[in-house]
Amino acid sequence: MTSESWEPGAFKARVDEVLRRFVAEEADRLAAVDPALGPVADEVEAAVAAGKRLRAAFCYWGWRAVGQPDSDALVRAAASMELVHAAAVVHDDLIDDSPLRHGRPTAHLALRGLVEHHPRPAGAARSLAMLVGDLLMSLAGQLFITSGLPAAYLGRARPLWAALARDLIAGECLEILHTGAAPDTAASLKVIRYKTAKYTVEQPLLIGGALAGAGERLREGYSAYGVPLGEAFQLRDDLLGMFGDPVLTGKAGADDVRGHRPTALLAETWRLAGEDERERLRHLLGRDDPDDPDEDGVEAVRDVMRRLKAPDRIENMINARVEEALRVFDELNLPAPAATALTALAHSAAVRRS
């Protein structure tokens, strides 16, 4: 990747290499404490082995849009955003009891065989997974502060880490609190904003900008671009979770419906439904059995959603948010490479199959 062009594959390779080396070293240190910790260390490495590296890219271009040059130290700092994501994913899979991530068993299932001797093996495996997530979040901070950027630069961005963690936890808590409640689009969008949008797009941009010394107007522009685009990213995830190909997504299909999670897709379906359709949804989404609905029931929910054109409504919401995000560039005098890259990233985040 040259300093004046955006090559997503080359950038991803740089981030992957930073993460591979850093996490491998930390995993080796963990395993060196006791041989029994080897499988736990393996899960720490597995948690960062795959990913689009969008969060690192937004942090990188938050830096470049200020006029700063390409920097290996900045790439290391940006890679720390992917460790935040890895931690969030491990915790989210644990909270949701999800069985698959990137086509492999999630941490709390992968570690189950390690604790078969335990009086409560399922609970013990979940505890180990929780600790894997905790370690990943700690490593994110460590990679950030040891990135090689000047201390003064890091000091400008450090306060944003508290906001990142607070917003992410607020979003997770709101999702738990709204799960099983009456579907409500406004509530679902608030969950999306705090659980995903802010730490996926807005805060990586703001952190990159703070590292580079961005002014107030540019920071405001980052938020005006980042929040709607982050919402579009999660709305796309909602659609893929229900209608995507599990082979491409690497996740179990219809997890959101089986878990009665407060997605905007379900909320819009409920909003558009008449009383007969709502009664049908109540029957299909019965709360008494955690395995409901079965595969036939899931397909019946899909049919209701299609009939009411709820997926079309979510597509419209995605498109409106991407357009809102891109309009921000009309008011900001960004360097051409940054504007080009952030435009491409907007489309990558919102138009995808996995």
Side-chain angles (χ1 to χ4, degrees), residues 26 37 41 105 169 177 212 217 248 255 274 295 307 343:
E26 293 299 325
L37 293 171
I169 290 169
L177 292 168
R217 183 167 176 268
L248 296 176
D255 260 7
E295 193 52 46
R307 188 164 61 250
T343 299

Side-chain angles (χ1 to χ4, degrees), residues 19-31 45 76:
L19 292 171
R20 186 190 66 77
R21 287 177 176 272
F22 177 76
V23 176
E25 290 174 2
E26 293 299 325
D28 286 346
R29 293 187 180 105
L30 178 64
E45 290 191 83
R76 284 177 59 83

Side-chain angles (χ1 to χ4, degrees), residues 87-99 101 106-109 122-134 172 261:
V89 163
V90 171
H91 285 151
D92 195 46
D93 288 342
L94 185 59
I95 291 166
D96 293 342
D97 204 20
S98 297
R101 175 72 65 166
T106 47
H108 61 283
L109 295 183
R126 294 175 69 85
S127 296
L128 289 173
M130 177 184 69
L131 293 168
V132 167
D134 291 347
E172 287 282 9
R261 290 166 206 144

